[in-house]
Amino acid sequence: VHGSAASAPNHFHTPAAMAHDRPLQELQEETDRRRRELLEKSRELVQIIDTTRGLGAATLTALHEQGEQIGRIEGRLTNINANLKASEQTLSRMERFLGLIPTRWRRSFESTTTYKKAWGKGTRAPAAPEAGSQPETAQLAPQLRRTRQAGDPLDAEFDSNIDVVNMTLRELAQQARAMGSELSSQNAALGRIGAQASATIVRVAKASERVGDML
């Protein structure tokens, strides 16, 4: 009896059992390979989105510098307008001295529609978008998170990469809102500058005409 029991085959180590285990091993190897590929793609995504963030930051900086230049141009036009007003007052005194045209007969340029359109209550920059509004894309990254296996370095790095992507998407959304607000403000300023430049040309022409009348 003992001899027959000892000679009984071990089903756990027979070729048939090993052949049965081989597909499971191959399946595990295929799963690990796909996980490594997915991790590598998450690394590439982090690099791409980080580059995009850098480009967005550089664009936003350039827009701010452009806005400052536009502001300086508008400031210069305002100074020119103030100087022209002082010149008109000097012309009025000279006209009174020469007895040409009574000042009360001459309509002030600042009462004209051209002046009011340029320096009156014109269009101002629209309000910036609400800080709480975010594009839907900023909320996509959390959906890519996987169930982490305890102590698995592949899953840990993958989840970390997805967290970086999610944070960067939020920053990109903030950059997009800031760009939109800056562009709207600059467009409004350019509209005012166009009106002010036109009004300045008209005002200079009228002042030159007055000077010509005195010669």
Side-chain angles (χ1 to χ4, degrees):
V1 175
H2 294 289
S4 60
S7 61
N10 188 344
H11 296 289
F12 295 103
H13 299 285
T14 61
M18 294 176 65
H20 178 72
D21 292 339
R22 189 175 299 115
L24 295 178
Q25 182 179 359
E26 293 176 354
L27 180 61
Q28 182 62 44
E29 292 176 352
E30 176 66 14
T31 300
D32 291 341
R33 184 183 66 82
R34 291 183 178 275
R35 290 173 61 207
R36 287 191 294 270
E37 290 178 353
L38 186 60
L39 176 60
E40 185 61 31
K41 290 185 181 297
S42 72
R43 291 169 178 168
E44 295 175 359
L45 181 59
V46 168
Q47 294 177 353
I48 292 173
I49 202 168
D50 186 65
T51 301
T52 304
R53 176 178 57 181
L55 292 173
T59 301
L60 192 56
T61 299
L63 282 175
H64 282 314
E65 293 175 353
Q66 178 175 286
E68 291 176 354
Q69 293 176 356
I70 292 175
R72 287 192 291 270
I73 293 173
E74 190 171 9
R76 292 191 186 102
L77 284 172
T78 300
N79 291 335
I80 291 172
N81 178 66
N83 292 334
L84 285 173
K85 181 177 181 179
S87 298
E88 289 172 347
Q89 292 173 348
T90 301
L91 287 174
S92 296
R93 288 194 294 270
M94 293 176 65
E95 287 169 343
R96 288 196 301 270
F97 177 77
L98 296 174
L100 295 177
I101 302 175
T103 305
R104 64 177 181 277
W105 290 1
R106 187 180 298 280
R107 183 186 180 191
S108 171
F109 182 77
E110 295 184 1
S111 64
T112 63
T113 304
T114 301
Y115 178 88
K116 292 179 179 179
K117 180 180 179 181
W119 279 281
K121 295 181 179 180
T123 304
R124 292 295 181 265
E130 293 294 333
S133 59
Q134 296 183 3
E136 295 180 359
T137 53
Q139 302 297 332
L140 292 181
Q143 300 176 12
L144 299 177
R145 293 181 63 88
R146 307 189 320 167
T147 302
R148 179 182 297 179
Q149 298 180 13
D152 191 309
L154 294 182
D155 279 351
E157 183 179 352
F158 180 85
D159 285 349
S160 176
N161 290 341
I162 293 303
D163 288 338
V164 171
V165 170
N166 183 47
M167 179 183 65
T168 307
L169 283 174
R170 293 179 182 275
E171 292 182 11
L172 291 176
Q174 293 174 355
Q175 288 180 351
R177 291 195 299 273
M179 289 179 190
S181 177
E182 182 67 23
L183 287 172
S184 297
S185 177
Q186 291 183 19
N187 287 334
L190 289 173
R192 294 194 301 272
I193 288 173
Q196 290 170 2
S198 298
T200 299
I201 293 173
V202 173
R203 193 166 196 173
V204 169
K206 289 183 176 298
S208 298
E209 181 181 353
R210 294 173 65 180
V211 172
D213 292 341
M214 288 186 293
L215 297 179

